[in-house]
Amino acid sequence: MTTIDTDPDTGLDPLEFAVTRNLAAKSNADRDAILANPGFGQSFTDHMVDICWSVRGGWHRPRVSPYGPISLDPAAAVLHYGQEIFEGIKAYRHADGSVHTFRPDQNGRRLQRSARRLALPELPVPYFLQSLRELIAVDGAWVPSGDDQSLYLRPFMFAKEAFLGVRPAHKVAYYLIASPAGAYFKGGVQPVSIWLSEDYSRAGKGGTGAAKTGGNYAASLLPQSEAYENECDQVVFLDQDRNVEELGGMNVVFVYKDGTIVTPQSDSILEGITRDSLLQLARDRGHHVVGRNVSLDEWREGVASGDIVEVFACGTAAVVTPIGVLKGKDFIDEQPTGTLALELREELTNIQYGRAEDKHGWLYRLDA
Ligand SMILES: Cc1ncc(COP(=O)(O)O)c(C=O)c1O
């Protein structure tokens, strides 16, 4: 077990994880073969973490176990009513071999906000952080060291109570799994083409748009298929007033010619940690940063007039992706390309991989 002190903010003692080693763990050679070309979300490490929660017992039975199938009662509420949330966060190997993650407290808090919206229990942030460290303690060798490679960590929580009544479940499971991830862009960052979803929305006022819950992603799959049919990489969603929300899995940022940076802000958008960090780096450079509504008309007119000089998307998986084209049912707008998006990308990844000073204290060491 990793030794962790009582959390000074919450007074919570660390959990005592029961660790069962995977006797069928991959050999070094097999693991190295996977790490040489990991792709995304295809291979998983040798272990997983889980913690149970019940109304009566609170958080209990923390475990590290061999990675493998989960046994669920067919009546488990998640299978019927989708009471589920998740997170996405990466572990990076630095040149000295140490393993770090980036702003995990923010992911822990976002998981709590998602839990609140989905009527799930809030996992204390110290337990969330400890779960990451416990998994790295046994699977640290799975953090790749190649350029732009990382170990993608996927914490998730779901209603496992076997009960078909519609109410918040009394039994819940928190899990953490991990999957090595290769460079998102091979041969340099490429601008993406974006399909404007006009027939489908991702979120509604008072809905679950700001939560990281499976249903939002399920609802984005049909419009995402429409994007592919229209030869676009990603889909962008509007709200009921035709304001820009976000892509299926990334936030959107606009750069104006006076240097102002504007990003949609509303209760129906997932608050991206990548976006928050990039905007902080932009502020550090003297940019004025504004969160407000951006209508589709403002976007299209701004690009046509030259007021908007760059548009990019951002999220944990791809970090930053310039938007090259916006395509709708009856228009194709080429997007202006600038240098800021890629400069901020470089600055952020340099911090994440330990190549630049971490002035904001964003890194969190996982293997010590
Ligand atoms: C819908 C959605 N918006 C935005 C983001 C970006 O969030 P983050 O930067 O925290 O990865 C993600 C990715 O997690 C997402 O799924």
Side-chain angles (χ1 to χ4, degrees), residues 239-250:
D239 70 11
Q240 64 277 11
D241 301 319
R242 295 182 71 75
N243 292 313
V244 179
E245 283 188 327
E246 58 184 324
L247 308 190
M250 282 193 259

Side-chain angles (χ1 to χ4, degrees), residues 86-89 107 110 152 154 202 209 211-212 216-217 246-252 269-276 314-317 319:
F86 66 98
E87 268 303 320
I89 180 169
N107 294 83
R110 190 168 65 185
Y152 183 79
R154 169 52 63 88
R202 176 185 176 276
K212 209 161 164 62
N216 292 343
Y217 297 81
E246 58 184 324
L247 308 190
M250 282 193 259
N251 293 121
V252 181
I269 294 174
L270 189 84
E271 287 180 49
I273 295 156
T274 314
R275 175 176 70 164
D276 186 68
C314 52
T316 296
V319 191

Side-chain angles (χ1 to χ4, degrees), residues 157-232:
M157 191 192 293
F158 59 88
K160 73 169 178 195
E161 186 187 5
F163 177 56
L164 293 184
V166 183
R167 60 140 169 77
H170 290 177
K171 287 186 182 163
V172 167
Y174 166 78
Y175 275 81
L176 169 65
I177 57 173
S179 172
Y184 196 90
F185 296 102
K186 294 201 174 75
V189 179
Q190 300 296 326
V192 287
S193 51
I194 303 291
W195 172 249
L196 175 68
S197 176
E198 300 218 56
D199 295 339
Y200 306 106
S201 40
R202 176 185 176 276
K205 202 168 162 40
T208 57
K212 209 161 164 62
T213 181
N216 292 343
Y217 297 81
S220 75
L221 299 179
L222 183 61
Q224 179 63 48
S225 302
E226 197 180 75
Y228 293 145
E229 281 158 22
N230 286 280
E231 288 159 357
C232 288

Side-chain angles (χ1 to χ4, degrees), residues 101-151:
T101 190
F102 185 74
R103 306 188 73 185
D105 52 318
Q106 295 295 317
N107 294 83
R109 284 201 209 121
R110 190 168 65 185
L111 188 71
Q112 291 185 322
R113 293 198 296 277
S114 298
R116 231 169 285 150
R117 181 63 185 83
L118 271 288
L120 284 162
E122 291 177 38
L123 182 74
V125 173
Y127 292 176
F128 175 82
L129 298 177
Q130 196 188 350
S131 72
L132 306 180
R133 295 167 60 119
E134 294 285 343
L135 193 62
I136 293 301
V138 290
D139 280 343
W142 282 89
V143 183
S145 54
D147 275 355
D148 276 343
Q149 291 190 329
S150 59
L151 182 65

